Amino acid sequence: MLVIAFGLFLYAELRARIHPLLAGILITMLACSPELFAYTFLVQTDWANAAFFATGVILLQRYLESGQHGSFVGSAVLLAMACWTRTETIFFVPIGSLLLLIFSVSISKNKALFRAIALSAICLLPVVFWNYILLRGYIPLPPRANLGTLHGVTEGYLSQLIAIAAQMNDQVIFDDVYWGYAVWVFLLLSLVNTVIFRDKRGFPILLWLAGIYILFVLIIQHVEGANVLFTFRRGFFKLLFLMYFYLGTTSLFRWLSNWIYRWESKIEKPET
């Protein structure tokens, strides 16, 4: 039910921005990603986390574009659900709070600051409840259970960060076994969009992508038990959903949509 619901939501959101044929192609590319497809029938929280998170980000983007209060409330609820399903998601929420401060031009700075703080606070509630009340207070755990111990700064700090990023790229992002052509198609279309249109549309989504990537590097560096092959590979679902939503916001896809609409109008009204 969650897979179908999110698929319909993402298609509808893309359909509101671009031609339905293009929206369908983007959804199909996601559906054909091997690792993403495999997790649609595994009883784990990773796919659900990605769906909740992507929906929250999309609703927040809708709020930044339209100022609709309901979109902001929906975004906060869905991002909080994402934080409940995977705890590291709380580290990504401040990106949304920062975007609220930067791009909320239709309201006062004080109101934007209040909503930014409210977003972070709402998302923090399920993390505190699950990790500090339920796990530590009511669920019996082994004496040596690891609940996310943090590492300090070590020698060769920068070189370790670079090594982690290289592993993320090599073992996850550019591994065709996991994602098929999905990542390469995104990079190619994003490059074409940037070179031809010099596009700033969807810029907040790019900030999400860059911020999440950098934060994953820091999480793997500093959190005990976090690693590339499990933590980042399954967390990459969030990035993949946002990558294809971003394509639907670009000038390239708007231009392709207009071209298809013009072609359809010529077919419907042939010249006499």
Side-chain angles (χ1 to χ4, degrees):
M1 290 176 63
L2 178 65
V3 171
I4 294 173
F6 177 74
L8 292 174
F9 168 79
L10 184 57
Y11 173 78
E13 189 66 27
L14 291 171
R15 171 64 185 85
R17 298 170 183 270
I18 58 178
H19 191 277
L21 175 63
L22 298 176
I25 291 174
L26 293 179
I27 295 296
T28 302
M29 288 296 301
L30 285 174
C32 292
S33 300
E35 187 76 356
L36 198 61
F37 171 74
Y39 272 78
T40 60
F41 52 83
L42 289 175
V43 187
Q44 294 188 14
T45 61
D46 306 295
W47 207 100
N49 168 260
F52 293 148
F53 183 81
T55 305
V57 172
I58 292 170
L59 290 176
L60 187 63
Q61 178 65 17
R62 187 190 295 177
Y63 167 75
L64 293 176
E65 294 172 349
S66 65
Q68 294 178 350
H69 182 68
S71 296
F72 172 75
V73 174
S75 173
V77 171
L78 268 297
L79 288 175
M81 293 173 67
C83 291
W84 170 62
T85 49
R86 277 181 64 114
T87 303
E88 88 273 357
T89 309
I90 191 62
F91 294 113
F92 309 138
V93 173
I95 301 173
S97 297
L98 182 61
L99 293 176
L100 282 171
L101 291 175
I102 296 174
F103 293 101
S104 296
V105 295
S106 60
I107 60 177
S108 65
K109 288 296 182 182
N110 289 337
K111 186 175 289 187
L113 178 61
F114 174 78
R115 293 187 178 180
I117 295 173
L119 178 66
S120 296
I122 291 170
C123 292
L124 191 61
L125 289 176
V127 176
V128 172
F129 172 77
W130 178 256
N131 289 278
Y132 295 96
I133 297 178
L134 193 63
L135 278 183
R136 288 172 168 83
Y138 294 94
I139 297 179
L141 296 174
R144 297 182 180 179
N146 178 13
L147 295 179
T149 304
L150 297 178
H151 293 301
V153 177
T154 59
E155 295 182 3
Y157 183 79
L158 184 59
S159 62
Q160 289 186 34
L161 287 180
I162 295 174
I164 290 172
Q167 292 175 20
M168 289 164 56
N169 295 337
D170 181 58
Q171 299 179 18
V172 177
I173 296 178
F174 296 112
D175 192 329
D176 298 341
V177 174
Y178 289 140
W179 320 115
Y181 299 105
V183 173
W184 294 107
V185 168
F186 164 77
L187 292 175
L188 177 61
L189 293 177
S190 297
L191 179 62
V192 171
N193 179 68
T194 302
V195 171
I196 295 178
F197 295 96
R198 302 184 182 277
D199 197 5
K200 294 182 180 179
R201 292 181 184 273
F203 182 68
I205 305 301
L206 290 179
L207 292 179
W208 277 105
L209 293 173
I212 293 171
Y213 177 86
I214 294 171
L215 287 171
F216 261 122
V217 175
L218 295 173
I219 289 170
I220 294 171
Q221 171 77 315
H222 289 287
V223 178
E224 181 73 28
N227 55 63
V228 172
L229 286 180
F230 293 96
T231 306
F232 179 64
R233 175 173 57 84
R234 294 181 295 190
F236 188 70
F237 297 165
K238 292 188 279 288
L239 288 165
L240 201 61
F241 286 151
L242 294 183
M243 286 157 59
Y244 274 72
F245 171 69
Y246 165 74
L247 290 178
T249 67
T250 59
S251 293
L252 172 62
F253 271 73
R254 289 172 181 258
W255 177 82
L256 290 172
S257 296
N258 291 334
W259 184 86
I260 295 174
Y261 281 126
R262 288 195 299 269
W263 178 77
E264 287 177 337
S265 64
K266 291 180 180 179
I267 295 297
E268 293 174 359
K269 298 180 181 179
E271 295 183 1
T272 57

